[in-house]
Amino acid sequence: MSEFLSVDAFRDALHAIGERQYHDLHPFHQLLHGGGLAKGQIQAWALNRFYYQVSIPRKDLTIMSRMDDPKLRRAWMQRVLDHDGLNHHGQPDEGKVGGIERWLRLTDGLGLDRDYVISLEGILPATRYAVDAYVNFVRDHSLLEAVASSLTELFAPSIHRERIAGFEKNYAFANDSTLSYFRKRLDEAPRDVEFGLNHVLTNARTAEQQQQCLRALRFKTELLWAQLDALHHAYVTPNLIPPGAFVPADMRATEYRR
């Protein structure tokens, strides 16, 4: 039976999960940030990651539907506004470009057709499965676990800084427009995680609740890792791209045996 952790020990346990298994440690990200991928492989990553980006507001609205406290809902709503590019009246705001549009500027800069990206037709089956599992997780588990699953934001600023530096050093597509998503998240993620972390540290009042939060965060890191496993398998080695998935112009898929 687990013992109840002090606030500092609980916080350390949450951070330890990222230090051990956040997806910045994945071989695909090492190649991506180190200049080891061809353009088509980066296109595949950006295309598949777009499904995660457009699902973030769905995930956050699902979490909000679980919240009884209006103050908590209002605070969490900022996440939806950040990604959808809406103002506080819920209307499109030309002066506030959201995270989804910023990601599309990345895929534009990589030479992907925007309509094709938005259609989601070319994403890997594993991408769809993993991202949908995240949305289902926050629907089916407690509100505390749902909030805890968002705490991968604890580790996000470091990966964004690494990505910006690696892209600028190694790839011709890197510019203010294509990197705008990552630069903006350097400001947004710390704000989001401060709120989410405080909520978890305050509301995990039993040893079991603390363990549920730790398991939720591990689930999220594993989900992110699984997405990169699928990309590596399809586009790096053994280069087995599933039927119907995006095939970059600069590479050929090895056909599955039928």
Side-chain angles (χ1 to χ4, degrees):
M1 188 177 202
S2 301
E3 295 183 0
F4 183 73
L5 301 173
S6 68
V7 170
D8 287 342
F10 184 31
R11 183 188 292 107
D12 289 346
L14 292 166
H15 278 280
I17 292 172
E19 293 170 2
R20 182 176 62 250
Q21 62 193 82
Y22 191 52
H23 64 164
D24 60 339
L25 301 172
H26 195 284
F28 189 91
H29 267 172
Q30 300 297 313
L31 291 170
L32 177 67
H33 298 163
L37 296 183
K39 180 179 178 180
Q41 293 169 313
I42 302 172
Q43 287 177 321
W45 166 74
L47 174 71
N48 278 270
R49 180 76 181 191
F50 180 72
Y51 187 52
Y52 180 82
Q53 299 306 134
V54 296
S55 298
I56 289 174
R58 292 171 48 219
K59 176 268 298 184
D60 286 325
L61 288 167
T62 301
I63 291 177
M64 287 175 60
S65 73
R66 316 284 305 284
M67 295 174 172
D68 296 325
D69 185 347
K71 290 195 300 183
L72 191 56
R73 289 197 300 268
R74 286 195 295 269
W76 205 268
M77 184 63 187
Q78 184 60 54
R79 297 167 183 250
V80 179
L81 301 178
D82 287 342
H83 279 83
D84 281 352
L86 303 175
N87 61 29
H88 285 281
H89 302 291
Q91 299 298 319
D93 188 341
E94 292 301 322
K96 180 173 174 54
V97 176
I100 293 172
E101 171 61 25
R102 290 177 188 275
W103 197 270
L104 286 168
R105 292 179 180 181
L106 170 62
T107 57
D108 289 345
L110 285 166
L112 290 167
D113 179 77
R114 183 176 280 222
D115 288 340
Y116 177 69
V117 174
I118 292 172
S119 75
L120 305 173
E121 291 178 6
I123 66 173
L124 296 170
T127 297
R128 191 181 300 276
Y129 183 86
V131 174
D132 289 350
Y134 184 29
V135 178
N136 293 339
F137 181 91
V138 303
R139 179 196 66 196
D140 297 338
H141 288 72
S142 70
L143 175 59
L144 182 61
E145 290 169 285
V147 173
S149 71
S150 75
L151 292 182
T152 47
E153 292 163 341
L154 282 166
F155 327 119
S158 62
I159 200 173
H160 291 322
R161 284 191 290 269
E162 179 182 313
R163 185 168 296 153
I164 291 167
F167 282 6
E168 287 181 330
K169 178 181 178 181
N170 297 301
Y171 301 112
F173 69 82
N175 56 47
D176 287 344
S177 179
T178 58
L179 299 183
S180 63
Y181 174 84
F182 312 112
R183 291 200 171 107
K184 186 65 174 175
R185 289 304 293 166
L186 290 175
D187 296 327
E188 294 171 348
R191 178 206 64 207
D192 291 346
V193 77
E194 180 181 5
F195 181 87
L197 181 60
N198 286 338
H199 180 87
V200 168
L201 294 177
T202 301
N203 291 279
R205 299 189 177 97
T206 68
E208 176 56 27
Q209 287 177 325
Q210 289 180 334
Q211 291 303 311
Q212 288 173 349
C213 291
L214 293 170
R215 288 193 293 268
L217 184 54
R218 280 195 296 270
F219 164 81
K220 175 67 177 304
T221 58
E222 290 165 357
L223 179 150
L224 294 171
W225 194 278
Q227 291 180 67
L228 293 180
D229 276 347
L231 282 164
H232 198 277
H233 187 269
Y235 296 104
V236 180
T237 183
N239 187 27
L240 288 171
I241 302 177
F246 170 69
V247 179
D250 60 2
M251 63 184 297
R252 177 178 296 178
T254 302
E255 290 189 1
Y256 279 93
R257 293 184 180 275
R258 288 176 171 80

